[in-house]
Amino acid sequence: MENRLKRGLAKLQEVDGKSGDAVVNSMNTIFPDLVKYMIEYTFGDIYSRDILDLKAKEMAVVAALTALGNARPQLNVHINGALNVGCSINEIKEIILQMSAYAGFPASINAMNELKDVLKEREEQGINDCIGKEPTSSVLPAERYEVGLKELSELDSQQAELLKEAYKDIAPELVQFIICGQADIMARDNLNKKFRELSTISALTALGTAGPQLKFHISAGLNIGLTAEDIKEIMLLISVYAGFPQAINGTNILKEVLTERSAKEKVKAE
Amino acid sequence: MENRLKRGLAKLQEVDGKSGDAVVNSMNTIFPDLVKYMIEYTFGDIYSRDILDLKAKEMAVVAALTALGNARPQLNVHINGALNVGCSINEIKEIILQMSAYAGFPASINAMNELKDVLKEREEQGINDCIGKEPTSSVLPAERYEVGLKELSELDSQQAELLKEAYKDIAPELVQFIICGQADIMARDNLNKKFRELSTISALTALGTAGPQLKFHISAGLNIGLTAEDIKEIMLLISVYAGFPQAINGTNILKEVLTERSAKEKVKAE
Amino acid sequence: MENRLKRGLAKLQEVDGKSGDAVVNSMNTIFPDLVKYMIEYTFGDIYSRDILDLKAKEMAVVAALTALGNARPQLNVHINGALNVGCSINEIKEIILQMSAYAGFPASINAMNELKDVLKEREEQGINDCIGKEPTSSVLPAERYEVGLKELSELDSQQAELLKEAYKDIAPELVQFIICGQADIMARDNLNKKFRELSTISALTALGTAGPQLKFHISAGLNIGLTAEDIKEIMLLISVYAGFPQAINGTNILKEVLTERSAKEKVKAE
């Protein structure tokens, strides 16, 4: 237990390299205790857990900070961190693009500008980042709705019908835009669905204003192969980046989803 | 359907002119797909809908970005857009002032500083914006409470009594401040009530933290002549600026209001 | 009543001195009515109330603006204000540190950087601020859990058991981190618990995304000696900094807590 600080410093170095040092040095002159707690908790406790690897963690943090939109210096640090631990440039772009659906285009555009700055800085420092894959397919305009339906059904087989039924009188266009948006984003095959859902769960937990959508995406994440343990790790990460209240509220929603799923499975078994 | 991009580019040009080009060019160097989706969805799909005109749309977007407070570059673009599509300077000031009640004075002051910057830039570019009307009346200190009651009753005839009853033991001052605040803002007659309520509905939907107040203002908006169709358009706009979860949650509240009103009308009819 | 503006200007001078003038002058050139309403309401109405003193008010505002993270110019003004009305540098540091638990480390780190800037500016102006006390005790790693339990029990004697029971299957680590976090922050004895709880209540009300946690901290605040009147003042303050919807929603939670406590006391009395 006495090694939280030591372990945290090593993990911080692994993830953030020089930009982590800069944060530490800047804070140390004003309030060393804050730095100590931050390193011990964030890096000694949370980043040192091994259920999600560093790449998944950094993607989820980039997603959350993109969606929150009010912590630009930390977004810079974690885009650097994501690149340092093996995310490709295109994977980070996919995460930022995806956030347009969950936090709006301003959030995505501002984060994309931050990515641009980070890449320029890293190039100047002679760092050679991996560009990564481009999406291999593109969706024709006339196929967007059908492709979107297929994508949505991979997350949840009943969701499209539920949306259509719930909003048929009040807002059928909204449902159509949601389904077509699935084709624009989720059909891009250069980031796997597990990373996509982890990132969405992370962002919605951090925002704290989208309970029903968080519930859907936790369930969708479990459907495509995330484990409850994976999702718990996201809640712990969010305690660092948006505070314990959001981590607790997210965990409550996870608990609700797991309870409902286990009740359904019991019914099936009988 | 294949024309979403073409239609979007034309609409973007109409609304944002040069500052739209700047956003597009800046993003195109880092991630052209994000620009494409943004233009197709925001301008090709949403801004091209004709239920609300461009002036109403831009006012609602300025309101939402003022309230969110975390997307200053986009606030700049949309203050420019609002002026481009026919909002007067004073109408924009009224929207920003009004947000002090719904998102606090810091949000209003920071947006007002952005307006100041935009006006300076436009003056330097030789653009001559319409100043617009000043309010014709002013409320005497001793009359604030009475004027506030009258203003609030135009939004909802029972709201003042409901507030007084609900908070009589716990916080009568809060109710008094709310009623007097109505006199300070809503009695200003240089922006019509429909624009005022559209803007408030837009901001509260974007924030996603004020369900009961959003419900009240959707109902008040309907009372003063907005249609359900108008309010649906705000929800679609918010999907662009704060993401689909807030658009869906706002639509659910609209649905709730409409269901309750239609139940009440049935009772009356019987 | 006619003196709201005069009273507000005097109070603004008392709290903010020169940095208040700067805000007023900057806004006056673009929209004098916004300045007038801001001064009348914020300083003439709210800051002139005497239930909480200026020091408590400024701490609560620094907490809220730190947590919101989207109003940096106002955070600068109110860190200055807090120092002007008698907060020590270390007291402000404690508030900012504490917010790491309720709004995440990015919020704390960004606010700490703002404090650093403010202190540099004030030093250059020859202002000699009081540094204040350091915490007198430090918690050994092996004792964090026990100290955290003790700290939490001072806020609420049953909370630790409730948390452990609720999350024993789903997230026992989260509960452990929460309890140990209490030892890191709440056991620091250079800021009294009343200020700590006022600040947390203020921040959670402003965020508007943490209803269950706000309920807990209102109740905890009452347990350690805050009065319902003190907490009402926080709600009024938040109407200024995050708008009336959050003030109303926070007041509703206060009302719920008071109703439940009075029901419990009746049962005890019988």
Side-chain angles (χ1 to χ4, degrees):
Chain A
M1 236 189 310
E2 312 218 7
N3 292 320
R4 290 172 73 229
L5 183 60
K6 206 183 288 180
R7 192 171 62 223
L9 281 167
K11 192 57 77 175
L12 173 65
Q13 188 60 40
E14 183 181 351
V15 176
D16 287 336
K18 280 186 199 169
S19 61
D21 291 348
V23 171
V24 170
N25 292 336
S26 161
M27 280 293 99
N28 256 336
T29 62
I30 172 99
F31 197 21
D33 286 359
L34 174 61
V35 185
K36 181 175 161 283
Y37 292 135
M38 190 268 282
I39 295 171
E40 285 177 343
Y41 184 57
T42 307
F43 295 96
D45 289 339
I46 302 300
Y47 274 74
S48 294
R49 296 170 61 88
D50 56 9
I51 292 166
L52 290 180
D53 65 17
L54 288 175
K55 183 173 164 179
K57 283 189 172 104
E58 283 299 71
M59 282 194 166
V61 171
V62 167
L65 295 175
T66 296
L68 287 170
N70 60 2
R72 192 88 173 242
Q74 287 74 30
L75 181 60
N76 183 304
V77 168
H78 287 281
I79 290 174
N80 272 294
L83 292 166
N84 291 342
V85 300
C87 293
S88 72
I89 295 173
N90 281 344
E91 285 173 326
I92 297 172
K93 285 184 183 176
E94 290 300 315
I95 294 294
I96 293 177
L97 167 64
Q98 187 175 317
M99 290 306 110
S100 65
Y102 302 107
F105 279 101
S108 282
I109 290 174
N110 294 337
M112 202 62 77
N113 275 320
E114 195 63 38
L115 171 62
K116 202 174 161 180
D117 291 351
V118 168
L119 292 179
K120 205 178 151 222
E121 288 158 18
R122 290 172 73 94
E123 208 178 282
E124 286 166 8
Q125 293 163 27
I127 302 173
N128 216 334
D129 288 309
C130 169
I131 291 172
K133 284 186 257 181
E134 297 289 332
T136 58
S137 65
S138 73
V139 181
L140 293 175
E143 300 168 348
R144 288 174 78 233
Y145 191 79
E146 284 312 308
V147 173
L149 276 181
K150 191 180 144 292
E151 287 297 329
L152 191 52
S153 75
E154 280 184 39
L155 298 182
D156 182 312
S157 60
Q158 300 177 302
Q159 181 69 359
E161 283 314 309
L162 288 173
L163 284 174
K164 281 194 262 183
E165 180 59 29
Y167 300 104
K168 67 182 174 192
D169 298 321
I170 176 97
E173 311 89 330
L174 181 61
V175 174
Q176 203 187 338
F177 290 136
I178 290 170
I179 291 170
C180 290
Q182 293 286 323
D184 291 343
I185 296 177
M186 297 299 278
R188 297 169 66 92
D189 61 1
N190 57 342
L191 182 66
N192 76 47
K193 293 261 157 68
K194 284 191 190 181
F195 282 136
R196 290 199 183 273
E197 287 306 307
L198 278 177
S199 298
T200 297
I201 292 165
S202 175
L204 296 178
T205 304
L207 287 170
T209 51
Q213 291 75 31
L214 179 56
K215 190 172 171 184
F216 171 75
H217 283 282
I218 286 175
S219 178
L222 295 168
N223 290 343
I224 58 145
L226 292 176
T227 66
E229 294 297 311
D230 294 334
I231 297 171
K232 272 174 56 181
E233 292 301 305
I234 298 294
M235 301 304 156
L236 291 175
L237 263 180
I238 290 306
S239 73
V240 172
Y241 295 100
F244 283 102
Q246 304 319 323
I248 295 173
N249 295 339
T251 302
N252 285 335
I253 294 177
L254 171 60
K255 192 176 164 181
E256 207 181 308
V257 170
L258 293 176
T259 306
E260 286 175 18
R261 289 168 84 95
S262 112
K264 270 190 209 160
E265 272 171 34
K266 253 187 213 155
V267 170
K268 269 193 209 162
E270 274 161 19
Chain B
M1 232 188 314
E2 313 216 8
N3 292 320
R4 291 172 72 228
L5 183 60
K6 206 182 288 179
R7 192 171 63 223
L9 280 166
K11 193 55 80 176
L12 173 65
Q13 189 59 41
E14 182 182 351
V15 176
D16 286 336
K18 279 185 200 171
S19 61
D21 290 347
V23 172
V24 170
N25 292 337
S26 160
M27 280 292 100
N28 256 336
T29 62
I30 170 99
F31 196 21
D33 287 0
L34 174 60
V35 185
K36 182 174 162 282
Y37 294 133
M38 191 267 282
I39 294 171
E40 287 178 342
Y41 183 57
T42 307
F43 294 96
D45 289 339
I46 303 299
Y47 273 74
S48 294
R49 296 169 62 87
D50 56 9
I51 293 165
L52 290 180
D53 65 17
L54 288 175
K55 183 173 162 178
K57 283 190 172 102
E58 284 298 72
M59 281 195 167
V61 172
V62 167
L65 295 175
T66 297
L68 287 170
N70 59 3
R72 192 89 173 241
Q74 288 73 30
L75 180 59
N76 184 304
V77 168
H78 288 282
I79 289 174
N80 272 294
L83 292 166
N84 292 341
V85 299
C87 295
S88 71
I89 296 173
N90 280 345
E91 285 173 325
I92 297 172
K93 284 184 184 177
E94 289 300 316
I95 294 295
I96 294 177
L97 167 64
Q98 187 173 317
M99 290 305 111
S100 64
Y102 302 107
F105 279 101
S108 282
I109 290 174
N110 294 336
M112 202 61 79
N113 276 320
E114 196 63 38
L115 171 62
K116 201 174 162 181
D117 291 350
V118 168
L119 293 179
K120 205 176 152 225
E121 288 159 18
R122 290 172 74 93
E123 208 179 279
E124 286 165 8
Q125 292 163 27
I127 302 173
N128 215 335
D129 288 310
C130 169
I131 292 173
K133 286 186 256 180
E134 297 289 331
T136 59
S137 65
S138 75
V139 180
L140 292 177
E143 299 168 349
R144 289 173 79 231
Y145 190 78
E146 284 311 310
V147 172
L149 276 181
K150 188 180 147 293
E151 288 296 331
L152 192 51
S153 75
E154 281 185 37
L155 298 182
D156 183 309
S157 60
Q158 301 177 303
Q159 182 69 0
E161 283 314 310
L162 288 173
L163 283 174
K164 282 194 262 183
E165 181 58 28
Y167 300 104
K168 66 182 176 193
D169 297 322
I170 176 97
E173 311 90 329
L174 182 61
V175 175
Q176 203 188 338
F177 289 135
I178 289 169
I179 291 171
C180 290
Q182 293 286 322
D184 290 344
I185 295 177
M186 296 300 279
R188 297 170 67 92
D189 60 3
N190 57 342
L191 182 66
N192 76 47
K193 293 261 156 71
K194 285 190 189 180
F195 283 137
R196 289 199 184 274
E197 287 306 308
L198 278 178
S199 300
T200 298
I201 291 166
S202 175
L204 296 179
T205 304
L207 286 170
T209 51
Q213 291 76 31
L214 179 56
K215 191 172 171 185
F216 171 75
H217 283 281
I218 286 175
S219 178
L222 295 168
N223 290 342
I224 57 145
L226 292 176
T227 65
E229 295 297 311
D230 294 334
I231 296 170
K232 271 174 54 181
E233 292 301 306
I234 298 294
M235 301 304 156
L236 292 175
L237 264 180
I238 291 305
S239 73
V240 173
Y241 296 100
F244 282 102
Q246 303 319 322
I248 294 173
N249 294 339
T251 303
N252 285 335
I253 293 177
L254 171 60
K255 193 175 164 182
E256 206 181 309
V257 170
L258 294 175
T259 306
E260 287 175 16
R261 288 168 84 95
S262 111
K264 270 188 207 160
E265 273 171 32
K266 254 187 212 156
V267 170
K268 269 192 209 160
E270 274 161 18
Chain C
M1 234 187 314
E2 312 217 7
N3 293 320
R4 291 172 72 229
L5 184 60
K6 204 181 289 178
R7 192 171 61 224
L9 281 167
K11 192 57 78 176
L12 174 64
Q13 189 60 42
E14 182 182 351
V15 175
D16 286 336
K18 280 184 199 171
S19 61
D21 291 347
V23 171
V24 170
N25 293 336
S26 160
M27 280 292 99
N28 256 335
T29 63
I30 171 99
F31 196 22
D33 287 0
L34 174 61
V35 185
K36 181 174 162 282
Y37 294 135
M38 191 267 281
I39 294 172
E40 286 178 344
Y41 183 57
T42 308
F43 294 96
D45 289 339
I46 304 300
Y47 274 74
S48 294
R49 295 169 61 89
D50 56 8
I51 293 166
L52 289 181
D53 65 18
L54 289 175
K55 183 172 163 178
K57 282 190 172 103
E58 284 298 71
M59 280 194 167
V61 172
V62 167
L65 295 175
T66 296
L68 287 170
N70 60 1
R72 191 88 174 242
Q74 287 73 30
L75 180 59
N76 183 305
V77 168
H78 287 282
I79 290 174
N80 272 293
L83 292 166
N84 291 342
V85 300
C87 294
S88 72
I89 296 172
N90 280 344
E91 284 173 326
I92 296 172
K93 284 184 182 176
E94 289 300 316
I95 293 294
I96 294 176
L97 167 64
Q98 188 174 317
M99 289 305 109
S100 64
Y102 302 108
F105 279 102
S108 282
I109 289 173
N110 294 337
M112 202 62 77
N113 275 320
E114 195 63 39
L115 171 63
K116 201 173 161 181
D117 291 350
V118 168
L119 293 178
K120 203 176 152 225
E121 288 158 19
R122 290 172 73 94
E123 207 178 281
E124 286 165 9
Q125 293 164 27
I127 301 173
N128 215 333
D129 288 310
C130 169
I131 291 172
K133 284 186 256 180
E134 298 288 333
T136 58
S137 64
S138 74
V139 180
L140 292 177
E143 300 167 348
R144 288 173 78 231
Y145 191 78
E146 283 311 309
V147 172
L149 276 181
K150 190 180 145 293
E151 287 296 331
L152 192 52
S153 75
E154 281 184 38
L155 298 182
D156 183 309
S157 60
Q158 300 177 304
Q159 182 69 0
E161 283 314 310
L162 288 173
L163 284 173
K164 282 194 262 182
E165 181 58 29
Y167 300 104
K168 68 183 174 192
D169 297 322
I170 177 95
E173 312 88 329
L174 182 60
V175 175
Q176 202 188 339
F177 289 136
I178 290 169
I179 291 170
C180 290
Q182 293 286 322
D184 290 344
I185 297 177
M186 297 299 279
R188 296 170 67 92
D189 60 3
N190 57 341
L191 181 66
N192 77 47
K193 293 261 157 71
K194 285 190 188 181
F195 283 136
R196 289 198 183 273
E197 286 306 309
L198 278 177
S199 299
T200 297
I201 291 166
S202 175
L204 296 179
T205 304
L207 287 170
T209 51
Q213 290 76 30
L214 179 56
K215 190 172 171 184
F216 171 74
H217 283 282
I218 286 175
S219 178
L222 294 169
N223 290 344
I224 57 144
L226 293 176
T227 66
E229 294 297 311
D230 294 334
I231 296 170
K232 272 174 55 181
E233 293 300 307
I234 298 294
M235 301 304 156
L236 292 175
L237 263 180
I238 290 306
S239 73
V240 173
Y241 295 100
F244 282 103
Q246 304 320 322
I248 294 172
N249 295 339
T251 303
N252 285 336
I253 294 176
L254 171 60
K255 193 175 162 181
E256 207 181 307
V257 170
L258 293 176
T259 306
E260 286 175 18
R261 290 168 83 95
S262 111
K264 269 190 208 159
E265 274 172 32
K266 253 187 213 154
V267 170
K268 268 194 209 159
E270 274 162 19

